[in-house]
Amino acid sequence: MKKTNILRVTALILVAVMCFSLASCVKPYGTSDNAIIDLGDSDRFSRKELEDAVECVKQKFKEFTGCNMTRIWYDEKLSERELRGRNCMRYDNSVVLFSDFTTNKYAASEGFETDFEYTDWSWELVKNENTSNWQVVSWGLG
């Protein structure tokens, strides 16, 4: 009976150690669930088009390990200025969104400074002419 209890306790300890080891290796995905969204007004895009563009950016942001998006917005004048500055070839099907996000210790593996707030991060998206789906084609600080 004592031997069985010792084996059970040993097994439980091993399982706990393995779970802790695995959990410490997992790097959190980029999160944007609580981001403030401000789409402003647009003469170029419908509200639905801009909402779809935001969702596309949020999907891409999941690749930003250790980052938490705090705000994402659209400003038509800023977007147009960015597109002109980039000599965008498909202006009618392109948009630039902006975001702010914070980083934690895992962000260093992605090349970001840890425990830092990035502001005015830009996201250039192009709409596929056949499917009308947005695709993020570039991102970074302006």
Side-chain angles (χ1 to χ4, degrees):
M1 185 81 151
K2 271 187 169 182
K3 206 178 222 182
T4 305
N5 285 340
I6 291 173
L7 286 174
R8 285 183 187 164
V9 169
T10 303
L12 285 173
I13 291 171
L14 284 174
V15 168
V17 168
M18 288 182 356
C19 287
F20 179 76
S21 296
L22 287 174
S24 65
C25 292
V26 175
K27 295 180 184 174
Y29 292 106
T31 59
S32 60
D33 297 339
N34 296 320
I36 296 168
I37 301 170
D38 180 7
L39 297 180
D41 296 322
S42 176
D43 293 327
R44 296 184 57 219
F45 300 105
S46 70
R47 184 109 180 137
K48 172 81 168 100
E49 288 174 307
L50 291 174
E51 289 170 350
D52 290 347
V54 166
E55 286 306 311
C56 185
V57 168
K58 286 176 138 187
Q59 285 300 311
K60 184 68 176 173
F61 194 75
K62 288 180 181 180
E63 297 174 17
F64 284 54
T65 302
C67 298
N68 179 49
M69 185 181 292
T70 56
R71 181 175 174 231
I72 185 166
W73 72 94
Y74 173 72
D75 180 301
E76 192 145 279
K77 288 181 182 179
L78 286 177
S79 178
E80 290 175 354
R81 185 175 65 193
E82 284 285 322
L83 291 171
R84 280 193 301 273
R86 297 174 187 199
N87 294 320
C88 183
M89 303 298 269
R90 295 176 24 172
Y91 176 81
D92 291 337
N93 292 334
S94 298
V95 66
V96 176
L97 299 178
F98 303 91
S99 69
D100 298 337
F101 62 93
T102 58
T103 62
N104 64 30
K105 65 182 179 181
Y106 297 111
S109 67
E110 300 294 323
F112 294 112
E113 190 171 331
T114 59
D115 299 319
F116 191 77
E117 181 179 11
Y118 287 84
T119 59
D120 301 326
W121 190 266
S122 66
W123 303 88
E124 182 179 351
L125 297 93
V126 174
K127 189 187 294 187
N128 183 302
E129 294 172 5
N130 298 323
T131 65
S132 294
N133 292 332
W134 291 105
Q135 179 183 3
V136 176
V137 294
S138 71
W139 56 89
L141 291 172

